[in-house]
Amino acid sequence: MKSIKYNLQDIFNQITTIAQKCGRDPKEITLLAVSKNQSITVVKEAISAGQNCFGENYAQEGVDKIKILANPDLVWHFIGRVQSNKSCLVSKYFDWCHSVNCLGLAKRLNQQRSIDKGPLNILIQINISCENTKAGILLEDLPMLASQINNFPHLNLRGLMAIPKKSKDDYHQRIEYQRLKTAFDQLKNNYPSIDTLSLGMSGDMETAIVFGSTILRIGTAIFGQRN
Ligand SMILES: *Cc1c(COP(=O)(O)O)cnc(C)c1O
């Protein structure tokens, strides 16, 4: 197996190549290392290789890592479904939440945020392929939820997150990515705080970058298969 350092460098090289090919500045794109189910040892290895943004899906597992590593240079993103009894862990310990999909959750995250940490960065999750099994709101419900979140003092609305359905039908897939990009650009026009599109995993990095992704969420390609 190749080292984490090698994998990170390899992904950065790919990001640079793809970004340049479509006329984007690679510096606009953040690589989020998805460390769910990975050990502290492995996360430390990534930190030694210069990685500082990590994504976690399970609140308690993430909080344990945040506490053990206790490193103020690290940025922690919560990317999983937020169970209602875990919202306080997400709000108290994480810097970002990518999976906000209703007003009730936003309200709790706002109430539970400690003032001294500054506002929690929020992405609204969009169910872009309209799948029953996936979380997120439909695009038609975005204007309302965005305006509500924008009013919370302890939340900072930064943009959108989506997990498009995997498909071999390139044409239809591109329509979905384009729809998301259009919604993101509109939101950006309406709110000056919007600058983040969390889109793209190991399998769809290239399409995601072409359609404006600013955060790629990548696990397996950095750390190998999860335990
Ligand atoms: C697990 C996960 C990822 C990373 O997936 P890999 O296949 O390991 O790259 C990205 N985004 C979300 C929301 C995830 O749950």
Side-chain angles (χ1 to χ4, degrees):
M1 199 186 105
K2 302 220 166 65
S3 72
I4 289 172
K5 185 174 175 180
Y6 177 95
N7 292 341
L8 282 167
Q9 192 54 56
D10 185 44
I11 295 164
F12 278 119
N13 292 343
Q14 290 181 49
I15 292 173
T16 304
T17 308
I18 299 166
Q20 283 168 350
K21 216 166 71 180
C22 62
R24 293 190 59 199
D25 180 354
K27 290 198 198 73
E28 291 172 6
I29 301 159
T30 298
L31 174 59
L32 182 64
V34 176
S35 48
K36 63 176 173 220
N37 296 345
Q38 302 291 352
S39 69
I40 289 283
T41 313
V42 158
V43 174
K44 280 185 176 162
E45 202 179 322
I47 296 168
S48 310
Q51 181 65 27
N52 75 330
C53 304
F54 293 91
E56 288 284 335
N57 286 58
Y58 308 102
Q60 189 59 58
E61 180 190 336
V63 169
D64 291 346
K65 283 179 188 149
I66 293 170
K67 285 182 171 168
I68 291 169
L69 292 163
N71 180 340
D73 296 333
L74 303 182
V75 183
W76 291 94
H77 296 241
F78 190 79
I79 62 173
R81 212 180 273 254
V82 185
Q83 292 174 272
S84 45
N85 61 339
K86 298 285 168 61
S87 64
C88 60
L89 289 179
V90 173
S91 191
K92 284 206 166 80
Y93 290 95
F94 283 81
D95 303 294
W96 289 72
C97 181
H98 289 221
S99 43
V100 174
N101 59 0
C102 66
L103 179 60
L105 171 59
K107 212 178 244 176
R108 283 198 307 280
L109 292 171
N110 178 65
Q111 275 166 1
Q112 291 161 339
R113 186 69 173 170
S114 336
I115 313 263
D116 60 304
K117 293 209 82 175
L120 178 66
N121 295 296
I122 298 292
L123 302 179
I124 295 175
Q125 184 172 352
I126 305 293
N127 189 349
I128 194 67
S129 311
C130 308
E131 294 170 277
N132 290 330
T133 52
K134 266 192 202 136
I137 63 166
L138 299 178
L139 275 182
E140 65 204 52
D141 299 321
L142 175 60
M144 175 67 98
L145 186 58
S147 76
Q148 289 164 328
I149 291 177
N150 190 51
N151 285 327
F152 288 125
H154 308 304
L155 303 181
N156 189 9
L157 181 61
R158 298 292 294 273
L160 304 178
M161 183 272 244
I163 311 169
K165 190 176 171 183
K166 287 194 186 77
S167 163
K168 293 216 153 54
D169 180 348
D170 206 44
Y171 175 73
H172 279 99
Q173 196 162 40
R174 279 170 171 266
I175 290 177
E176 288 183 352
Y177 283 79
Q178 180 59 59
R179 218 188 282 136
L180 186 68
K181 182 180 190 313
T182 304
F184 176 65
D185 289 340
Q186 277 171 3
L187 202 64
K188 220 185 274 192
N189 285 336
N190 293 335
Y191 302 98
S193 61
I194 302 290
D195 57 6
T196 304
L197 181 58
S198 168
L199 176 69
M201 304 173 32
S202 312
D204 65 341
M205 233 169 72
E206 177 150 12
T207 317
I209 292 173
V210 169
F211 287 95
S213 169
T214 68
I215 294 186
L216 298 167
R217 304 178 310 265
I218 301 202
T220 315
I222 299 173
F223 297 111
Q225 289 301 326
R226 281 180 282 276
N227 305 312

